Amino acid sequence: MKQQQNKPKTMPIDIRAPRSTLRAGRAVTLLILCFLLGMGYLSYVLITESPMYMAKSGKTTYGVVYDRTGDVLFDGTKPLTDYPSGQFADVGNFIGDTSGQMTNTLVAKNLTALANYSFTAGIHGTASLQTTLSHSANQAAYKALGSKNGTIIACNWKTGELLVCVSKPCVDIAKGYADIASMPNGSLLCKAFYPMVPGSTQKVSTLIAAYETLGVKTVNDIEYSCEGSWLNANGQRIKCHRSEGHGHQTLAEAFANSCNPFFAQLVQSEQLPLTSIIEVYQRMGYSVNKSAAENYSLDGISIAPASTVLTDDTDFDTQWGCLGQGETLVSPYQLMLWQTAVANGTGTAILPYAVEACTSAEGKMVQVGKTTRTPQLFSVSAAKAVQEVMIANAENHYYVSLPDYNCGVKSGTAQVTDNGREYENSLLVGFCLDETCPVAFCILIEERTSKDISTAQVAKALLNALSAAE
């Protein structure tokens, strides 16, 4: 037999592409993908932002902003001087205009929605924003301030609808900015959204922290004496606004009297650890000792969070900070926001909104305003306890000023130093529980003296106007 010869094995042919070619292919694929994504994003921006760019180019106009009844608050389709004198004098700093002089305003933050241009239909129709504001109530609040500067902000604590937002000095957008160099400080911003010294309105937050930490009964049973001033553990003196003092007081009495020595003793007490105050403050939205805190936003308008520095409960600066002075700063918006959580008795605030609906240049209306709650800021028990204290304060001390309303209030006097100049601002925060006027509010009168209108008188004018408007 013939022996079979073993044939040499043949190696398989490697038909794969070189690695360098594979890498190049993947790179090309990635580049194509990035190009397509970029084109998609560019198309999205072109479609969504083209109305704003068209309006800025002068090829089209902006639309109209209305109050809750259809009254005009801004009109970008014709000269504002066509309207009656003073039509926009009360809302200029909040509503704004398209001039670019004021950037943190309702119009500036919603330019795209107001542009009278559609990418698909071109120049077509008039865009508009329907707001929750009551123009008549804003005008009444503006008038109530008289010659004084300040701010007034109010919302429906059930729904979050922003009803009033007045800031003085206010720009009358119909008159323009020819005299911008001579305008008083604060003319180009809405003071309701910027942090300021809260004075004794801060005692609401400190009281909430005490209720959260110690419980309602324990806090309500606390009593301290005020002899006109008090020396803390560091030998530093906390003065009362009443030189002869208030004598022996319960918590409710000290709250109504806005007694600094009482609340300073509460902050220093071993019962109420500073760490607990800080924890509650942070939950409420404060930046404490430069900790992170989220900004608020109202239809695009940016609002900085409250802030304070608390390092030692035996030290003057920390105690003073818990009383609304020192380095404590809070915006009127946030003071009002907390009042919604007290008024509804849940400890959960209702976030305000001003834009109820948007109508595009094509005539399509979209409902955008809705009731939105914050996370739990403080407990139900704390909310109800603070509500009771504030109502008692109104019943016992504001029955002449606010006789027709079921209210809770807390006043405050803020000592301010501005460029070496010292003065006092007067504040009032509170809520109305009436079914026909469910309102939370904050009122600030700058450089108020005893001869000027009081915050309580302004509150009465505000609630009267809102009751009539509803």
Side-chain angles (χ1 to χ4, degrees), residues 348-362:
T348 300
I350 305 298
L351 287 170
Y353 66 91
V355 178
E356 184 70 48
C358 298
T359 300
S360 68
E362 296 173 296

Side-chain angles (χ1 to χ4, degrees), residues 264-440:
Q265 290 175 79
L266 178 63
V267 171
Q268 184 179 285
S269 69
E270 293 181 358
Q271 292 174 284
L272 183 58
L274 183 59
T275 53
S276 297
I277 296 176
I278 291 174
E279 190 277 327
V280 175
Y281 276 16
Q282 289 176 325
R283 203 179 337 134
M284 292 174 65
Y286 286 82
S287 168
V288 183
N289 303 331
K290 298 184 178 180
S291 64
E294 291 186 10
N295 281 19
Y296 289 89
S297 178
L298 190 154
D299 297 304
I301 294 172
S302 179
I303 307 155
S307 62
T308 189
V309 175
L310 308 175
T311 57
D312 180 357
D313 60 7
T314 66
D315 185 66
F316 176 91
D317 290 338
T318 292
Q319 293 166 2
W320 208 225
C322 291
L323 305 183
Q325 293 290 158
E327 297 187 55
T328 300
L329 297 172
V330 190
S331 69
Y333 168 93
Q334 208 163 352
L335 288 171
M336 176 193 70
L337 179 72
W338 294 326
Q339 289 301 305
T340 69
V342 173
N344 63 32
T346 68
T348 300
I350 305 298
L351 287 170
Y353 66 91
V355 178
E356 184 70 48
C358 298
T359 300
S360 68
E362 296 173 296
K364 182 180 179 181
M365 176 182 283
V366 178
Q367 199 79 15
V368 295
K370 63 179 181 179
T371 302
T372 307
R373 291 179 176 270
T374 66
Q376 196 80 29
L377 303 181
F378 42 90
S379 66
V380 171
S381 61
K384 290 183 177 179
V386 172
Q387 184 187 111
E388 290 178 5
V389 172
M390 293 185 70
I391 290 174
N393 185 32
E395 289 176 346
N396 295 330
H397 300 279
Y398 290 81
Y399 53 87
V400 175
S401 305
L402 301 169
D404 302 320
Y405 299 99
N406 181 17
C407 287
V409 295
K410 179 69 186 84
S411 63
T413 300
Q415 300 170 5
V416 179
T417 301
D418 183 14
N419 294 321
R421 193 167 61 91
E422 296 183 354
Y423 56 87
E424 292 185 342
N425 291 339
S426 183
L427 298 99
L428 188 72
V429 298
F431 53 83
C432 179
L433 297 181
D434 294 351
E435 283 296 321
T436 57
C437 192
V439 175

Side-chain angles (χ1 to χ4, degrees), residues 64-187:
V64 184
V65 179
Y66 298 102
D67 87 332
R68 63 193 301 115
T69 66
D71 199 6
V72 175
L73 303 178
F74 168 79
D75 191 340
T77 66
K78 61 181 182 180
L80 297 174
T81 50
D82 288 358
Y83 285 88
S85 177
Q87 174 78 10
F88 314 108
D90 57 303
V91 293
N93 295 20
F94 173 57
I95 299 299
D97 57 21
T98 58
S99 68
Q101 295 290 348
M102 297 182 287
T103 57
N104 200 33
T105 62
L106 197 68
V107 167
K109 296 298 185 180
N110 293 275
L111 281 176
T112 300
L114 271 174
N116 294 323
Y117 176 81
S118 165
F119 182 80
T120 55
I123 300 172
H124 185 78
T126 301
S128 67
L129 298 178
Q130 179 186 330
T131 73
T132 60
L133 294 174
S134 168
H135 197 191
S136 61
N138 274 267
Q139 290 172 325
Y142 184 84
K143 183 179 179 181
L145 284 173
S147 62
K148 305 304 294 183
N149 291 328
T151 187
I152 304 168
I153 185 168
C155 73
N156 183 317
W157 57 260
K158 291 184 176 181
T159 64
E161 296 167 284
L162 190 70
L163 303 170
V164 170
C165 191
V166 167
S167 181
K168 288 186 68 178
C170 187
V171 171
D172 187 340
I173 55 177
K175 295 180 180 179
Y177 304 86
D179 61 341
I180 190 170
S182 60
M183 288 181 179
N185 289 338
S187 295

Side-chain angles (χ1 to χ4, degrees), residues 144-145 398 401 426 428 443 445 448-460:
L145 284 173
Y398 290 81
S401 305
S426 183
L428 188 72
I443 297 167
I445 301 177
R448 183 187 175 273
T449 68
S450 59
K451 297 179 181 179
D452 296 319
I453 189 170
S454 69
T455 51
Q457 291 172 313
V458 173
K460 181 178 181 179

